[in-house]
Amino acid sequence: MTQPTPFALMVGTGAIRKGHGMGETFIGSGKTGDSAVYLRRKFEVEGASEATLRLTALGCYKAWLNGRELDPQVFLPGRTSVGHRLQVQEYDIAGQLMDGPNVLAVLLTKGWYGKDPALYCSLSIDGREQCGVAGWLCSADGPLGFHDMKLGEIYDARKEADWTAVTYDDQGWAAPIEQTYEGALVAHQGARILEHERFVPTVVHTPDGSTVLDFGQNIAGYMEFTVTGREGHVVKMLYGETLDEAGNFTQKNLGFRVNKKTGSPEQTVQYVLKEGTQTYKPQASVHGFQLVKLEGWPEEVVPRNFSAIAVYSDLEQTGTFTCSNEKVNKLVENIRWSTKGNFLDIPTDCPQRERAGWTGDIMVYSIPATYQMDTRAFLRKWLEDVMLEQGEDGRICNIVPDGGMPPFMDGAAGWSDAIVKLPWVLYQFYGDEEILERAYPAMQKHIAFMERRSKKRKPWNALKGRHWDDLIDTGFHWGEWLEPGTSMPAGALRGFTVPDVEVASAYYAWSTATVSKVASVLGKEGDARRYLELSERVKAAYRTEFLPEGTVRSSRQCRYVRPVALDLIDDEAKPGVVAALNDAVVANGYRIGTGFLSTPHICNVLSDHGYVETAYRLLENEEQPGWLYEVGHGATTMWENWYGKDDAGHVTNSLNHYSPGAIVGWLYSRVAGIQPLEPGFERVLIAPVIGGSMTWVDCTYKSAAGTIRSMWRREGSALALHIEVPRPAVVRLPNGEEREVEAGAYEFYCEL
Ligand code: BGC
């Protein structure tokens, strides 16, 4: 038998195939309760020369043509703003059709949609398009019963049959119903969602008598297993991230819901055996986990019978960073795993709890992510949904897509500013002016929304000075979020009652100043001036309120970081503020004191103003709170909370949030010193900062203009620097000397 050629997935540019309100016909099964929907359509072919298949779904689908899987991707059609648009996958299937009967088989699950799923299928053979329910049959009585992306699934292997084959007898299957979808169908735009690495576990017997598999790496994905047993025997697999303080498996840090069917909290797969030996991996749920607890396993637990499969968007790795400090190398690896675990078609906060497209998380992590992976198409796709879901009044949602938060909570400072930050980062890294053009109207609406907000005041601020007309004290804001010593509920409560004016006003000023720069790039000089003036007014108001004597007075590190990092104060005022930040960090024993919003900036701010050693000591601090504390305590990903796990093994919150991993941005941009001097790295800056325990660093970044390398080594009191640049570069040596070079490879030496 000849090996069939692979199906070709055609990736489009995201152009809309059909507009809103056209009313596309979808194939639904009616009320199926909890179960997955199995669909089949038989059709006859005679000498077809051209055949194109287009598929999408409300929910997720997996398709087979004549028994053969159509696409190795999982969770198609991907995750978009369901009310607005669905991605369509298009396949050239001409070579796979057989003369005579053929069958298209589709498994439909609820996916991120969460409701009764429905399929869109257009089959075009030699120019004749067939769409709609005609010819389809469906069944909701297959092996996959209850299923939910987060809660897990129940699979009954006794019901398995060869239902994707042409020869399968589908008598008894029902006719599906027709359903209309009013959103747009767009070409597949994001990266492919694929299975990647596999991990084999070690078996742990916990004090409470349970058997737990430890895969050694926290991932997003699922576990494939092989089991031998008697028909009807039930096994349960509970997915979790860690053991608790007593050394037992726990899911208590994971979530908010309980699966009523399995009686377990989130992330549980229940499997009913058929007779004999069988292999299964989940098809309708994905989990954030390092551990799996087995319940009711019918035989000896042998590691080779299990493998954890990492599932994430297939983005090209663009960055590598290694150095002489092995713990920092492990940190970099952990951060990469948090990126993989949270890049499942959209950027999420965590893969086990909300798994939501929180705008703030990728706002703070956009630069670090983009050094490590080619985020261009991935973020571009998600931004499209951010724009589609923007409120009429200009507020950007906290969660995209389909966050469903009450609108009064949307538009939060630092979160909503993703609409400005992400296009700006894509422009800096890829020279992508088109995204600026595309996002500009949404940015303008965002600024107008904040401007209107600034004109309102809380009653208790009503009598304050005129500058309060340019500060924001209304709306809901998360504030700095999760500084050491604060808790999530307390932070959220403060967001409702006394929103943080300093944070809200700072981001108002930063976004407005950045939109002014965007307007300049786009040649809109009038807009550029207007936004610049507005941002200057807001910055002045900020300074009047928060730096009345030209400096900050606060016990919180974020209060010093923000005005410098977001450029809210004059350059002359910065050294004083950073000196005070340095004092605050020293007084805190070189431990991190910032939360979500300022953590990406603190080391940049310190090292840019001469406090290189302090920045390194913050990074290399091994006590809690600190990045290397986590490494020293078994972390394989980034923890959400600086106190995620304490010495006693007590766990709070998620252990897989990339936001605190934004420090990796400092490693690429300052420690290795690779930065774009012109958009798209058409001119490169190489300005490494040397300090801490590090004796060497080797970093590469595959930029849009070509691969850049910065490699340095301390040699006694001197520094040897090797660089490779694909474009002209400015090289700034640690002794202050600056050289301009053309594309090429160079060596530099200087005394430190
Ligand atoms: C999420 C965050 C998110 C936040 C809003 C949390 O529950 O996990 O990462 O940005 O809520 O503050």
Side-chain angles (χ1 to χ4, degrees), residues 256 348-350 352-356 358-362 398-399 405 415 476 478-479 481-482 488 492 596 640 654 657 659:
F256 312 118
T348 57
D349 57 335
C350 53
Q352 62 326 64
R353 199 180 64 213
E354 283 113 300
R355 310 150 170 227
W358 281 96
T359 44
D361 297 57
I362 191 62
N398 280 331
I399 300 176
M405 288 204 108
W415 272 250
F476 172 85
W478 302 100
W481 193 245
L482 289 184
M488 282 172 68
F596 193 94
E640 172 178 25
S654 135
H657 260 63
S659 46

mmCIF file of all heavy atoms in Angstrom, residues 256 348-350 352-356 358-362 398-399 405 415 476 478-479 481-482 488 492 596 640 654 657 659, ligand 1:
data_model
loop_
_atom_site.group_PDB
_atom_site.id
_atom_site.type_symbol
_atom_site.label_atom_id
_atom_site.label_comp_id
_atom_site.label_asym_id
_atom_site.label_seq_id
_atom_site.Cartn_x
_atom_site.Cartn_y
_atom_site.Cartn_z
ATOM 1 N N PHE A 256 -12.024 26.629 41.198
ATOM 2 C CA PHE A 256 -13.209 27.082 41.896
ATOM 3 C C PHE A 256 -14.373 26.120 41.724
ATOM 4 O O PHE A 256 -15.386 26.252 42.346
ATOM 5 C CB PHE A 256 -13.627 28.440 41.361
ATOM 6 C CG PHE A 256 -12.495 29.424 41.259
ATOM 7 C CD1 PHE A 256 -12.126 29.937 40.037
ATOM 8 C CD2 PHE A 256 -11.802 29.819 42.396
ATOM 9 C CE1 PHE A 256 -11.096 30.855 39.946
ATOM 10 C CE2 PHE A 256 -10.776 30.734 42.307
ATOM 11 C CZ PHE A 256 -10.406 31.253 41.077
ATOM 12 N N THR A 348 -2.741 32.928 27.870
ATOM 13 C CA THR A 348 -3.574 32.791 29.074
ATOM 14 C C THR A 348 -2.795 33.137 30.334
ATOM 15 O O THR A 348 -1.574 33.268 30.310
ATOM 16 C CB THR A 348 -4.117 31.356 29.222
ATOM 17 O OG1 THR A 348 -3.011 30.442 29.260
ATOM 18 C CG2 THR A 348 -5.049 30.992 28.082
ATOM 19 N N ASP A 349 -3.525 33.244 31.439
ATOM 20 C CA ASP A 349 -2.885 33.502 32.733
ATOM 21 C C ASP A 349 -2.263 32.233 33.292
ATOM 22 O O ASP A 349 -1.156 32.247 33.800
ATOM 23 C CB ASP A 349 -3.896 34.086 33.727
ATOM 24 C CG ASP A 349 -5.110 33.181 33.940
ATOM 25 O OD1 ASP A 349 -5.438 32.383 33.038
ATOM 26 O OD2 ASP A 349 -5.731 33.272 35.010
ATOM 27 N N CYS A 350 -2.996 31.134 33.197
ATOM 28 C CA CYS A 350 -2.533 29.861 33.754
ATOM 29 C C CYS A 350 -3.282 28.744 33.042
ATOM 30 O O CYS A 350 -4.366 28.975 32.506
ATOM 31 C CB CYS A 350 -2.771 29.807 35.266
ATOM 32 S SG CYS A 350 -4.475 30.168 35.757
ATOM 33 N N GLN A 352 -4.435 25.870 34.372
ATOM 34 C CA GLN A 352 -5.214 24.925 35.198
ATOM 35 C C GLN A 352 -6.415 25.574 35.874
ATOM 36 O O GLN A 352 -7.418 24.925 36.077
ATOM 37 C CB GLN A 352 -4.311 24.197 36.203
ATOM 38 C CG GLN A 352 -3.558 24.949 37.289
ATOM 39 C CD GLN A 352 -3.046 26.326 37.015
ATOM 40 O OE1 GLN A 352 -3.806 27.233 36.794
ATOM 41 N NE2 GLN A 352 -1.727 26.523 37.077
ATOM 42 N N ARG A 353 -6.367 26.859 36.170
ATOM 43 C CA ARG A 353 -7.467 27.507 36.888
ATOM 44 C C ARG A 353 -8.338 28.273 35.884
ATOM 45 O O ARG A 353 -9.111 27.661 35.180
ATOM 46 C CB ARG A 353 -6.902 28.405 37.984
ATOM 47 C CG ARG A 353 -7.903 28.769 39.062
ATOM 48 C CD ARG A 353 -7.290 29.658 40.103
ATOM 49 N NE ARG A 353 -6.894 30.921 39.526
ATOM 50 C CZ ARG A 353 -5.830 31.640 39.929
ATOM 51 N NH1 ARG A 353 -5.058 31.187 40.899
ATOM 52 N NH2 ARG A 353 -5.553 32.782 39.373
ATOM 53 N N GLU A 354 -8.201 29.596 35.770
ATOM 54 C CA GLU A 354 -9.058 30.308 34.812
ATOM 55 C C GLU A 354 -8.774 29.935 33.354
ATOM 56 O O GLU A 354 -9.672 29.881 32.539
ATOM 57 C CB GLU A 354 -8.886 31.824 34.952
ATOM 58 C CG GLU A 354 -9.587 32.437 36.132
ATOM 59 C CD GLU A 354 -8.587 32.952 37.127
ATOM 60 O OE1 GLU A 354 -7.784 32.117 37.631
ATOM 61 O OE2 GLU A 354 -8.580 34.163 37.412
ATOM 62 N N ARG A 355 -7.494 29.776 33.003
ATOM 63 C CA ARG A 355 -7.082 29.489 31.611
ATOM 64 C C ARG A 355 -7.649 30.542 30.665
ATOM 65 O O ARG A 355 -8.114 30.226 29.572
ATOM 66 C CB ARG A 355 -7.590 28.125 31.172
ATOM 67 C CG ARG A 355 -7.277 27.019 32.126
ATOM 68 C CD ARG A 355 -8.350 25.959 32.045
ATOM 69 N NE ARG A 355 -7.967 24.765 32.769
ATOM 70 C CZ ARG A 355 -8.076 23.559 32.286
ATOM 71 N NH1 ARG A 355 -8.548 23.372 31.077
ATOM 72 N NH2 ARG A 355 -7.722 22.526 33.005
ATOM 73 N N ALA A 356 -7.594 31.767 31.120
ATOM 74 C CA ALA A 356 -8.310 32.823 30.405
ATOM 75 C C ALA A 356 -7.334 33.796 29.752
ATOM 76 O O ALA A 356 -6.206 33.964 30.205
ATOM 77 C CB ALA A 356 -9.206 33.567 31.390
ATOM 78 N N TRP A 358 -6.404 36.727 29.962
ATOM 79 C CA TRP A 358 -6.274 37.962 30.755
ATOM 80 C C TRP A 358 -5.351 38.930 30.018
ATOM 81 O O TRP A 358 -4.189 38.621 29.765
ATOM 82 C CB TRP A 358 -5.701 37.655 32.140
ATOM 83 C CG TRP A 358 -6.689 37.095 33.108
ATOM 84 C CD1 TRP A 358 -6.908 35.779 33.388
ATOM 85 C CD2 TRP A 358 -7.605 37.838 33.927
ATOM 86 N NE1 TRP A 358 -7.902 35.652 34.324
ATOM 87 C CE2 TRP A 358 -8.347 36.904 34.671
ATOM 88 C CE3 TRP A 358 -7.869 39.202 34.091
ATOM 89 C CZ2 TRP A 358 -9.327 37.289 35.576
ATOM 90 C CZ3 TRP A 358 -8.844 39.583 34.997
ATOM 91 C CH2 TRP A 358 -9.566 38.626 35.732
ATOM 92 N N THR A 359 -5.886 40.102 29.731
ATOM 93 C CA THR A 359 -5.116 41.075 28.954
ATOM 94 C C THR A 359 -3.843 41.522 29.680
ATOM 95 O O THR A 359 -2.810 41.733 29.052
ATOM 96 C CB THR A 359 -5.987 42.308 28.656
ATOM 97 O OG1 THR A 359 -6.692 42.665 29.846
ATOM 98 C CG2 THR A 359 -6.981 42.023 27.552
ATOM 99 N N GLY A 360 -3.945 41.657 31.007
ATOM 100 C CA GLY A 360 -2.800 42.171 31.767
ATOM 101 C C GLY A 360 -1.610 41.230 31.749
ATOM 102 O O GLY A 360 -0.454 41.673 31.746
ATOM 103 N N ASP A 361 -1.887 39.929 31.748
ATOM 104 C CA ASP A 361 -0.787 38.968 31.834
ATOM 105 C C ASP A 361 0.137 39.068 30.627
ATOM 106 O O ASP A 361 1.353 39.106 30.753
ATOM 107 C CB ASP A 361 -1.338 37.552 32.022
ATOM 108 C CG ASP A 361 -2.107 37.423 33.324
ATOM 109 O OD1 ASP A 361 -3.066 38.201 33.519
ATOM 110 O OD2 ASP A 361 -1.743 36.579 34.156
ATOM 111 N N ILE A 362 -0.465 39.145 29.435
ATOM 112 C CA ILE A 362 0.385 39.240 28.249
ATOM 113 C C ILE A 362 0.877 40.677 28.064
ATOM 114 O O ILE A 362 1.931 40.897 27.457
ATOM 115 C CB ILE A 362 -0.330 38.681 26.989
ATOM 116 C CG1 ILE A 362 0.643 38.539 25.813
ATOM 117 C CG2 ILE A 362 -1.529 39.513 26.588
ATOM 118 C CD1 ILE A 362 1.784 37.583 26.037
ATOM 119 N N ASN A 398 -11.166 42.821 30.339
ATOM 120 C CA ASN A 398 -10.104 42.220 31.149
ATOM 121 C C ASN A 398 -9.672 40.880 30.580
ATOM 122 O O ASN A 398 -8.507 40.505 30.681
ATOM 123 C CB ASN A 398 -10.598 41.973 32.579
ATOM 124 C CG ASN A 398 -10.566 43.221 33.424
ATOM 125 O OD1 ASN A 398 -9.737 44.104 33.204
ATOM 126 N ND2 ASN A 398 -11.462 43.301 34.392
ATOM 127 N N ILE A 399 -10.649 40.141 30.061
ATOM 128 C CA ILE A 399 -10.377 38.792 29.544
ATOM 129 C C ILE A 399 -10.896 38.695 28.118
ATOM 130 O O ILE A 399 -12.047 39.026 27.856
ATOM 131 C CB ILE A 399 -11.081 37.718 30.396
ATOM 132 C CG1 ILE A 399 -10.601 37.771 31.847
ATOM 133 C CG2 ILE A 399 -10.869 36.334 29.813
ATOM 134 C CD1 ILE A 399 -11.343 36.798 32.766
ATOM 135 N N MET A 405 -16.811 38.877 32.056
ATOM 136 C CA MET A 405 -16.789 39.625 33.327
ATOM 137 C C MET A 405 -17.819 40.743 33.249
ATOM 138 O O MET A 405 -18.121 41.246 32.170
ATOM 139 C CB MET A 405 -15.432 40.283 33.519
ATOM 140 C CG MET A 405 -14.341 39.335 33.844
ATOM 141 S SD MET A 405 -13.026 40.214 34.705
ATOM 142 C CE MET A 405 -13.225 39.584 36.333
ATOM 143 N N TRP A 415 -4.220 46.373 32.504
ATOM 144 C CA TRP A 415 -4.768 45.232 31.770
ATOM 145 C C TRP A 415 -5.234 45.720 30.392
ATOM 146 O O TRP A 415 -4.789 45.237 29.359
ATOM 147 C CB TRP A 415 -5.914 44.591 32.560
ATOM 148 C CG TRP A 415 -5.439 43.551 33.529
ATOM 149 C CD1 TRP A 415 -5.637 42.210 33.419
ATOM 150 C CD2 TRP A 415 -4.680 43.747 34.734
ATOM 151 N NE1 TRP A 415 -5.047 41.555 34.484
ATOM 152 C CE2 TRP A 415 -4.461 42.469 35.297
ATOM 153 C CE3 TRP A 415 -4.161 44.843 35.389
ATOM 154 C CZ2 TRP A 415 -3.743 42.292 36.480
ATOM 155 C CZ3 TRP A 415 -3.442 44.675 36.566
ATOM 156 C CH2 TRP A 415 -3.240 43.409 37.098
ATOM 157 N N PHE A 476 -12.907 50.144 38.025
ATOM 158 C CA PHE A 476 -12.318 49.042 38.794
ATOM 159 C C PHE A 476 -10.875 48.831 38.328
ATOM 160 O O PHE A 476 -10.606 48.786 37.126
ATOM 161 C CB PHE A 476 -13.126 47.759 38.554
ATOM 162 C CG PHE A 476 -12.458 46.562 39.155
ATOM 163 C CD1 PHE A 476 -12.646 46.244 40.487
ATOM 164 C CD2 PHE A 476 -11.589 45.784 38.396
ATOM 165 C CE1 PHE A 476 -11.986 45.164 41.059
ATOM 166 C CE2 PHE A 476 -10.932 44.701 38.956
ATOM 167 C CZ PHE A 476 -11.140 44.394 40.291
ATOM 168 N N TRP A 478 -7.122 46.584 39.246
ATOM 169 C CA TRP A 478 -6.469 45.537 40.035
ATOM 170 C C TRP A 478 -5.279 46.094 40.805
ATOM 171 O O TRP A 478 -4.756 45.446 41.705
ATOM 172 C CB TRP A 478 -5.961 44.412 39.128
ATOM 173 C CG TRP A 478 -7.032 43.783 38.296
ATOM 174 C CD1 TRP A 478 -7.293 44.032 36.995
ATOM 175 C CD2 TRP A 478 -7.994 42.807 38.709
ATOM 176 N NE1 TRP A 478 -8.352 43.281 36.561
ATOM 177 C CE2 TRP A 478 -8.805 42.512 37.592
ATOM 178 C CE3 TRP A 478 -8.244 42.148 39.918
ATOM 179 C CZ2 TRP A 478 -9.851 41.593 37.639
ATOM 180 C CZ3 TRP A 478 -9.287 41.229 39.966
ATOM 181 C CH2 TRP A 478 -10.070 40.960 38.845
ATOM 182 N N GLY A 479 -4.806 47.273 40.402
ATOM 183 C CA GLY A 479 -3.648 47.870 41.090
ATOM 184 C C GLY A 479 -2.372 47.131 40.743
ATOM 185 O O GLY A 479 -2.276 46.459 39.709
ATOM 186 N N TRP A 481 -1.093 44.532 42.098
ATOM 187 C CA TRP A 481 -1.518 43.111 42.086
ATOM 188 C C TRP A 481 -0.420 42.141 42.549
ATOM 189 O O TRP A 481 0.625 42.047 41.944
ATOM 190 C CB TRP A 481 -2.037 42.720 40.698
ATOM 191 C CG TRP A 481 -2.777 41.406 40.660
ATOM 192 C CD1 TRP A 481 -2.384 40.275 39.997
ATOM 193 C CD2 TRP A 481 -4.010 41.097 41.311
ATOM 194 N NE1 TRP A 481 -3.308 39.291 40.189
ATOM 195 C CE2 TRP A 481 -4.324 39.752 40.998
ATOM 196 C CE3 TRP A 481 -4.881 41.798 42.146
ATOM 197 C CZ2 TRP A 481 -5.462 39.107 41.462
ATOM 198 C CZ3 TRP A 481 -6.016 41.166 42.612
ATOM 199 C CH2 TRP A 481 -6.301 39.836 42.266
ATOM 200 N N LEU A 482 -0.766 41.437 43.616
ATOM 201 C CA LEU A 482 0.059 40.351 44.153
ATOM 202 C C LEU A 482 1.489 40.755 44.530
ATOM 203 O O LEU A 482 2.438 40.011 44.257
ATOM 204 C CB LEU A 482 0.077 39.154 43.195
ATOM 205 C CG LEU A 482 -1.226 38.358 43.110
ATOM 206 C CD1 LEU A 482 -1.048 37.143 42.207
ATOM 207 C CD2 LEU A 482 -1.702 37.896 44.487
ATOM 208 N N MET A 488 -4.916 37.639 46.848
ATOM 209 C CA MET A 488 -5.798 37.905 45.714
ATOM 210 C C MET A 488 -7.137 38.492 46.160
ATOM 211 O O MET A 488 -7.558 39.515 45.622
ATOM 212 C CB MET A 488 -6.012 36.629 44.897
ATOM 213 C CG MET A 488 -4.841 36.316 44.000
ATOM 214 S SD MET A 488 -4.967 34.724 43.195
ATOM 215 C CE MET A 488 -6.301 34.977 42.104
ATOM 216 N N ALA A 492 -8.435 42.249 45.078
ATOM 217 C CA ALA A 492 -9.634 42.462 44.263
ATOM 218 C C ALA A 492 -10.606 43.382 44.993
ATOM 219 O O ALA A 492 -11.217 44.266 44.398
ATOM 220 C CB ALA A 492 -10.290 41.126 43.942
ATOM 221 N N PHE A 596 2.694 42.237 40.123
ATOM 222 C CA PHE A 596 2.467 41.906 38.726
ATOM 223 C C PHE A 596 2.967 42.986 37.745
ATOM 224 O O PHE A 596 3.657 42.693 36.774
ATOM 225 C CB PHE A 596 0.949 41.780 38.655
ATOM 226 C CG PHE A 596 0.373 41.163 37.464
ATOM 227 C CD1 PHE A 596 0.095 39.812 37.450
ATOM 228 C CD2 PHE A 596 0.036 41.935 36.374
ATOM 229 C CE1 PHE A 596 -0.505 39.246 36.358
ATOM 230 C CE2 PHE A 596 -0.561 41.372 35.284
ATOM 231 C CZ PHE A 596 -0.833 40.022 35.273
ATOM 232 N N GLU A 640 2.513 31.943 40.346
ATOM 233 C CA GLU A 640 1.705 33.158 40.255
ATOM 234 C C GLU A 640 2.035 34.136 41.380
ATOM 235 O O GLU A 640 2.089 35.350 41.186
ATOM 236 C CB GLU A 640 0.221 32.768 40.357
ATOM 237 C CG GLU A 640 -0.721 33.938 40.481
ATOM 238 C CD GLU A 640 -2.182 33.503 40.526
ATOM 239 O OE1 GLU A 640 -2.450 32.362 40.932
ATOM 240 O OE2 GLU A 640 -3.042 34.317 40.154
ATOM 241 N N SER A 654 -1.835 29.463 41.695
ATOM 242 C CA SER A 654 -1.335 28.647 40.587
ATOM 243 C C SER A 654 0.189 28.562 40.605
ATOM 244 O O SER A 654 0.873 29.493 41.007
ATOM 245 C CB SER A 654 -1.814 29.283 39.283
ATOM 246 O OG SER A 654 -0.798 29.357 38.320
ATOM 247 N N HIS A 657 2.082 30.558 36.136
ATOM 248 C CA HIS A 657 1.721 31.882 35.604
ATOM 249 C C HIS A 657 2.993 32.499 35.024
ATOM 250 O O HIS A 657 3.976 32.635 35.733
ATOM 251 C CB HIS A 657 1.269 32.786 36.751
ATOM 252 C CG HIS A 657 -0.203 32.918 36.898
ATOM 253 N ND1 HIS A 657 -1.015 31.865 37.202
ATOM 254 C CD2 HIS A 657 -1.013 34.010 36.815
ATOM 255 C CE1 HIS A 657 -2.270 32.311 37.291
ATOM 256 N NE2 HIS A 657 -2.283 33.614 37.061
ATOM 257 N N SER A 659 3.581 35.609 34.210
ATOM 258 C CA SER A 659 3.833 37.037 34.443
ATOM 259 C C SER A 659 5.084 37.341 35.297
ATOM 260 O O SER A 659 5.876 38.206 34.892
ATOM 261 C CB SER A 659 2.588 37.726 34.995
ATOM 262 O OG SER A 659 2.012 36.990 36.024
HETATM 263 C C1 BGC B 1 -5.423 35.750 37.131
HETATM 264 C C2 BGC B 1 -4.385 36.790 36.804
HETATM 265 C C3 BGC B 1 -5.168 37.953 36.304
HETATM 266 C C4 BGC B 1 -5.880 38.433 37.523
HETATM 267 C C5 BGC B 1 -6.513 39.755 37.483
HETATM 268 C C6 BGC B 1 -6.167 36.254 38.324
HETATM 269 O O1 BGC B 1 -7.070 35.386 38.848
HETATM 270 O O2 BGC B 1 -4.928 34.496 37.280
HETATM 271 O O3 BGC B 1 -3.236 36.421 36.273
HETATM 272 O O4 BGC B 1 -4.492 38.888 35.584
HETATM 273 O O5 BGC B 1 -6.747 37.495 38.064
HETATM 274 O O6 BGC B 1 -5.921 40.436 38.443
#
